[in-house]
Amino acid sequence: MIRILRNKVVGVFAAALLLAIVPAVGSAQNQRQRTEATNLVAQGDLFYRQQKYNEAISKYSEAIAIMGKFPFAHFSKGYAHYNLKQYDQAISEFNIALDQGYQEEDVYAVRWQLYLLKKDYEKALADIRRGQKKDSKNSYFYIAEGQILHEMKDYPNAISSFQRAINVGTDNNDVYFYIAQAYNAAGNFQQQGAAAQKALTSGTKFIEESWFFVGDSMQRQRNYEEAAKAYEMVLAKNDDNYAAYVNLAECYRNLNEFQKATRIALHATRKYPNDANLKVSLSWYYSLGNQHGNAVAVATEAIKILPGNYMAHTNLCRAYNDLKEYNSAIAACKRALELQPGDGETNFYLGRAYQLLGNTNLSNDYYRKAVTGLIAFTRDNPDYSDGFYLLGNAYFADGKRDEAISAYQKCLQISPRFAKARYNLGYVYSQAGNSEAARQQYSALKDIDPDLAGKLLAVLEQ
């Protein structure tokens, strides 16, 4: 939901000013009524400042009963109703104030917000555009127009309105943040990041949200290093930001920095100890970082919290395979498939467990199922590198080298520093007799993971 602008609080005026805006009448008696009404409004203003809005309304009502035509009292009463979320009453009072001659742009500057809250977008826009005609250089009305259009999902015109506010000159430091919001809603993530950067430079109060937009933009552009820096800034501002933990850990995974991914995910699980999904992710990072015992422990914790989470069972299966506890792996994978029949990753791990137990008939069957499931998964998750990594593994296990190579290449397009994918790709190239391509993977791997590069070199020199 976009943040609604707040016009300056009104209804707090000195008695002398009130006397100037109460209709003048001739007789001494009417003069006394005028003074009494003015004093009542002043009392109402005092209650207003104390946020005693019901008492303020009572005093404004008394003043109106005495004077009848008292636009300022109606306007102030409307604001008090507004603060009590009595929107229909507030609109009624603002309408009367306008009819009685209250300054039009001041009414438009607040009434549109009520219409927006009631989702009456056309009336909200009408007020703002009347305000623009009254004061075409007032950036407030263009920012308000942008917010209304944002709620109407007309994001291009919302952005144009925010830009007009900048063009006429505004001291609102949040306009670029509003632009970033609109770009985000429109799915233009590159421009979202640029606008959020400008928001931060402009001194927006939405610092945490702006850094998140920067991180999200960089992550979608696969600039994981800059995305990670932005998410670190989010967490420095608010260490309760759930999405920032999830995204930051994923950035580190894509950078092949599994210790950092584990550290962030572990911190998140301590912040949210009953969140099974965080533990599922942590178990995966532990496996990628070759901490298989920890992977088993955390996956088991996830299952205790949410037994129906199939990925917890799948990750447990993988970790048991890595620990060479194949019967336990089979049991975990079968439970995962009961919960999620046809899952490609689970079928791959199950096939591997049977292969390592020497049951090639069953393993081959599960590898074929793994390919089918992972093709579907990567189609639905085209930006998730691990899906293509697993698909490459499944293709290779199913004897389809060319397809495995293609899958690994797609994985590395998304995560160029994914060391295990580079090792596997180099290995498959060597098996296919393409030593030059295999050497290229070795060269790239030396800077990412020297130990794994050494293992690949040993394969190539056999």
Side-chain angles (χ1 to χ4, degrees), residues 130-245:
R130 291 186 192 107
Q132 289 171 356
K133 289 179 181 178
K134 285 284 183 180
D135 189 356
S136 63
K137 298 299 183 182
N138 189 337
S139 63
Y140 173 90
F141 290 116
Y142 298 111
I143 297 171
E145 181 180 48
Q147 293 191 318
I148 297 165
L149 291 167
H150 185 283
E151 291 301 290
M152 296 175 72
K153 302 185 178 3
D154 186 354
Y155 305 119
N157 283 321
I159 292 166
S160 296
S161 295
F162 292 134
Q163 191 60 55
R164 287 181 72 187
I166 294 168
N167 293 342
V168 300
T170 179
D171 59 359
N172 188 320
N173 297 331
D174 299 320
V175 180
Y176 280 111
F177 173 72
Y178 298 142
I179 292 174
Q181 279 188 309
Y183 276 127
N184 171 265
N188 188 335
F189 302 112
Q190 186 170 352
Q191 290 297 326
Q192 161 197 307
Q197 287 279 16
K198 288 182 179 179
L200 290 163
T201 303
S202 299
T204 180
K205 63 178 173 288
F206 300 113
I207 298 171
E208 175 189 345
E209 296 90 337
S210 295
W211 275 119
F212 191 91
F213 278 148
V214 171
D216 179 66
S217 176
M218 292 295 102
Q219 187 176 8
R220 290 174 187 275
Q221 295 177 67
R222 300 176 182 172
N223 186 344
Y224 302 117
E225 289 184 358
E226 291 303 314
K229 290 177 184 177
Y231 290 133
E232 292 279 13
M233 293 297 291
V234 173
L235 292 173
K237 191 72 177 173
N238 176 16
D239 67 354
D240 285 327
N241 192 310
Y242 182 96
Y245 283 115

Side-chain angles (χ1 to χ4, degrees), residues 22-99:
V22 178
V25 287
S27 71
Q29 181 180 359
N30 285 335
Q31 183 62 40
R32 284 195 301 272
Q33 290 175 329
R34 181 179 177 216
T35 302
E36 184 181 357
T38 299
N39 289 335
L40 286 166
V41 170
Q43 292 172 41
D45 289 345
L46 178 60
F47 283 128
Y48 188 101
R49 287 195 297 271
Q50 296 171 346
Q51 298 182 11
K52 297 178 179 179
Y53 300 119
N54 282 313
E55 290 87 341
I57 289 169
S58 179
K59 292 301 178 182
Y60 296 141
S61 297
E62 289 180 45
I64 291 166
I66 292 170
M67 291 301 301
K69 184 178 181 181
F70 200 160
F72 180 80
H74 284 289
F75 186 71
S76 298
K77 185 169 180 279
Y79 247 111
H81 283 300
Y82 184 175
N83 283 288
L84 291 172
K85 298 184 179 180
Q86 296 169 349
Y87 301 140
D88 289 332
Q89 297 98 313
I91 290 171
S92 177
E93 293 299 327
F94 289 135
N95 290 347
I96 296 169
L98 191 62
D99 291 341

